[in-house]
Amino acid sequence: MATMASLHLKNPISNPHSLQKLRKTHFIPPLNLPIRHHPTSKTRSALRISASLIDPDGGKLVELFVKESEKDSKLNQALNLPKIKLSTIDLQWVHVLSEGWASPLKGFMRESEFLQTLHFNSLRLENGSFVNMSVPIVLAIDDAQKQRVGSSASVALVDENDDLVAVLNDIEIYKHNKEERIARTWGTTAPGLPYVDETITNAGNWLIGGDLEVINPVQYNDGLDRFRLSPAQLRDEFEKRNADAVFAFQLRNPVHNGHALLMTDTRRRLLEMGYKNPVLLLHPLGGYTKADDVPLSWRMKQHEKVLEDGVLDPETTVVSIFPSPMHYAGPTEVQWHAKARINAGANFYIVGRDPAGMGHPLEKRDLYDADHGKKVLSMAPGLERLNILPFKVAAYDKTQNKMAFFDPSRAQDFLFISGTKMRALAKNRENPPDGFMCPGGWKVLVDYYESLAPAENGRVPEPVAA
């Protein structure tokens, strides 16, 4: 998450800390607010607020787990099926699909779904309506695997230990046009795109799609599974807390006080709009990230310190892990991040500067325009139901020794501390200005970089778990 974050209000519509489930619903005010305008007092008074959650895409949350009573028969079926071994990232996508983050998708994409995603960033449903889907969720196989599958209508999906995970039924195998996929997802085919290098460049020349039946739900056994709440579990948690609005904040970096300012001010604004108990979904990305990002275990430890230090209120905050891998595909990917949170019940989404962006792999510039992510979210097909509130830029106010909203009339009083600068300070064991991050959270970040200190032989160790 970049230092300068903002929120944008689109047409309004209708142990993680004290794990507790929101009445399933969706709220519909009687009017549309103009894009990028703060609601006036008169407008706010006109809103009819109802305690409800936004409906999942397609109207129903799709979960792809085999019933306990059917497991034995599915296991027997899988014994005689061709096997496809899943990579770590493939397994993360099985996790995403199985819990309904990609609802109404029922498995790895067949060709028609793949093409709609690449060319339209959306899927047409049987009733003619559209849902947003901006990144392909596909499974690649090579020539040898394709030959082994032969004419079979189903395949067994196994993990790296050859343990059965799922069965893919009514399969379709089609050409994996890598160049088209890369160009349309990232807007460039420049070498050095992290997700491309990790999952596409050396992947097979075929894609296999079908209906997914997960026999053994994905577990990571890393001490963080208690934070991995499914969309259904999150909806239950919001109900238990009597939330009447849910606002989601995704990040893949440690939380500093500028992030916290945005989150707490969002809640204040929702209360002003008439909501009684808006709840924050603090939702760090937990799938694949590039090598220089802070690992998930350390980020989660830092997030816990933020709540322990009272920077965020545990009573109105749900901390959970979003299992998706990270593409770093800018405005294309941020649509996926927003769409997935709708399925978890969030009707408000905080979007920052250059969401899901990264530096150009060959040139010294950002790969994407920093403002395009929030602009795209305001126009994206299938995301009309999602609200994004406008906010000022957050920066460090040297006169108040804290993070504050940027005031251009006294620009000289503000300091912008980028994620790159933050990481550099921590690596060098230097302290940021007082008020930039809570002390407990900063110590976690420093401890992480100390764990990477070069050994006597000069080699830098792999990141260790917190």
Side-chain angles (χ1 to χ4, degrees):
M1 185 71 192
T3 302
M4 297 187 291
S6 64
L7 243 62
H8 176 74
L9 175 57
K10 200 157 78 162
N11 301 335
I13 58 134
S14 84
N15 142 336
H17 302 273
S18 166
L19 179 61
Q20 294 174 27
K21 274 183 179 207
L22 236 188
R23 267 155 289 154
K24 179 185 175 184
T25 51
H26 118 125
F27 79 89
I28 307 177
L31 71 165
N32 291 336
L33 301 185
I35 290 176
R36 280 200 206 90
H37 286 75
H38 294 266
T40 63
S41 299
K42 182 177 180 181
T43 299
R44 284 196 296 268
S45 65
L47 294 177
R48 290 187 290 106
I49 303 302
S50 62
S52 59
L53 286 182
I54 192 171
D55 288 335
D57 275 343
K60 181 181 179 182
L61 195 63
V62 174
E63 293 184 298
L64 304 175
F65 301 109
V66 170
K67 295 178 182 177
E68 199 66 35
S69 61
E70 299 175 1
K71 275 193 175 182
D72 287 343
S73 64
K74 293 295 179 183
L75 287 168
N76 290 332
Q77 174 198 2
L79 291 175
N80 301 312
L81 294 177
K83 291 180 174 56
I84 293 176
K85 184 168 289 191
L86 301 170
S87 69
T88 298
I89 294 177
D90 292 335
L91 200 62
Q92 291 170 1
W93 284 122
V94 169
H95 184 177
V96 167
L97 290 165
S98 68
E99 293 185 339
W101 295 101
S103 293
L105 207 59
K106 296 182 179 179
F108 285 106
M109 291 178 174
R110 297 182 176 90
E111 187 174 38
S112 64
E113 295 163 327
F114 175 66
L115 291 176
Q116 288 180 71
T117 297
L118 283 189
H119 293 271
F120 311 128
N121 283 0
S122 60
L123 297 175
R124 186 195 293 270
L125 305 185
E126 290 181 358
N127 64 5
S129 64
F130 289 88
V131 297
N132 192 272
M133 182 60 69
S134 63
V135 299
I137 302 180
V138 292
L139 180 60
I141 59 174
D142 59 26
D143 292 351
Q145 290 171 313
K146 180 177 182 289
Q147 189 171 3
R148 284 199 300 272
V149 172
S151 61
S152 178
S154 300
V155 295
L157 306 182
V158 300
D159 65 17
E160 59 183 10
N161 299 317
D162 287 325
D163 292 328
L164 181 66
V165 176
V167 172
L168 198 63
N169 294 310
D170 192 18
I171 62 173
E172 177 184 340
I173 297 176
Y174 55 101
K175 192 72 176 174
H176 187 188
N177 190 330
K178 298 179 186 180
E179 184 176 30
E180 181 184 23
R181 177 183 173 188
I182 295 165
R184 287 196 170 272
T185 303
W186 282 271
T188 180
T189 55
L193 298 169
Y195 187 90
V196 171
D197 290 348
E198 189 75 21
T199 67
I200 300 178
T201 302
N202 297 315
N205 293 320
W206 306 93
L207 297 175
I208 181 170
D211 294 333
L212 189 67
E213 292 184 301
V214 176
I215 298 171
N216 293 306
V218 177
Q219 295 286 315
Y220 298 82
N221 301 312
D222 58 358
L224 299 175
D225 282 332
R226 64 194 175 97
F227 288 104
R228 292 184 173 95
L229 302 185
S230 70
Q233 288 172 319
L234 285 168
R235 286 173 174 269
D236 286 347
E237 173 70 8
F238 300 142
E239 282 190 354
K240 286 180 177 178
R241 296 194 184 206
N242 295 316
D244 57 358
V246 177
F247 57 107
F249 187 75
Q250 169 177 300
L251 67 172
R252 63 178 194 269
N253 280 318
V255 174
H256 57 62
N257 290 349
H259 298 141
L261 174 64
L262 292 170
M263 290 182 269
T264 55
D265 204 58
T266 300
R267 188 169 196 277
R268 176 190 65 79
R269 293 169 63 78
L270 292 175
L271 290 169
E272 286 183 352
M273 289 172 65
Y275 293 96
K276 301 300 182 184
N277 187 31
V279 169
L280 165 66
L281 172 58
L282 181 59
H283 214 200
L285 186 134
Y288 162 81
T289 54
K290 55 190 174 70
D292 61 348
D293 280 345
V294 177
L296 176 64
S297 62
W298 288 93
R299 284 185 278 128
M300 292 304 294
K301 185 175 181 180
Q302 194 269 350
H303 297 349
E304 287 191 275
K305 287 295 182 184
V306 167
L307 274 86
E308 286 178 15
D309 288 0
V311 177
L312 295 172
D313 183 1
E315 294 301 314
T316 58
T317 303
V318 174
V319 182
S320 183
I321 293 171
F322 178 44
S324 176
M326 188 77 192
H327 280 64
Y328 304 93
T332 296
E333 185 176 15
V334 75
Q335 296 173 67
W336 158 242
H337 293 164
K339 174 248 172 47
R341 278 31 181 260
I342 290 175
N343 286 328
N347 41 12
F348 291 86
Y349 186 77
I350 300 176
V351 60
R353 179 185 180 276
D354 195 22
M358 57 171 282
H360 193 284
L362 299 179
E363 304 170 16
K364 290 187 176 181
R365 60 178 177 87
D366 288 342
L367 183 55
Y368 306 106
D369 186 293
D371 292 325
H372 281 183
K374 64 182 179 183
K375 290 179 180 179
V376 164
L377 282 186
S378 73
M379 302 180 286
L383 295 182
E384 294 85 359
R385 301 181 297 145
L386 188 68
N387 294 279
I388 307 168
L389 295 168
F391 263 119
K392 299 176 183 177
V393 170
Y396 186 78
D397 187 340
K398 294 179 288 186
T399 67
Q400 301 184 57
N401 295 325
K402 67 177 185 178
M403 297 298 287
F405 291 126
F406 178 68
D407 182 354
S409 69
R410 52 185 187 90
Q412 71 282 357
D413 294 334
F414 288 86
L415 178 66
F416 291 96
I417 303 174
S418 67
T420 301
K421 175 66 173 176
M422 176 180 69
R423 290 189 291 269
L425 289 171
K427 286 177 185 177
N428 296 327
R429 303 180 190 181
E430 300 176 34
N431 289 324
D434 288 343
F436 173 73
M437 184 184 292
C438 66
W442 184 254
K443 184 178 185 305
V444 171
L445 194 56
V446 172
D447 288 348
Y448 162 64
Y449 284 109
E450 284 188 352
S451 79
L452 292 181
E456 291 182 3
N457 60 10
R459 296 181 63 185
V460 177
E462 290 294 313
V464 297

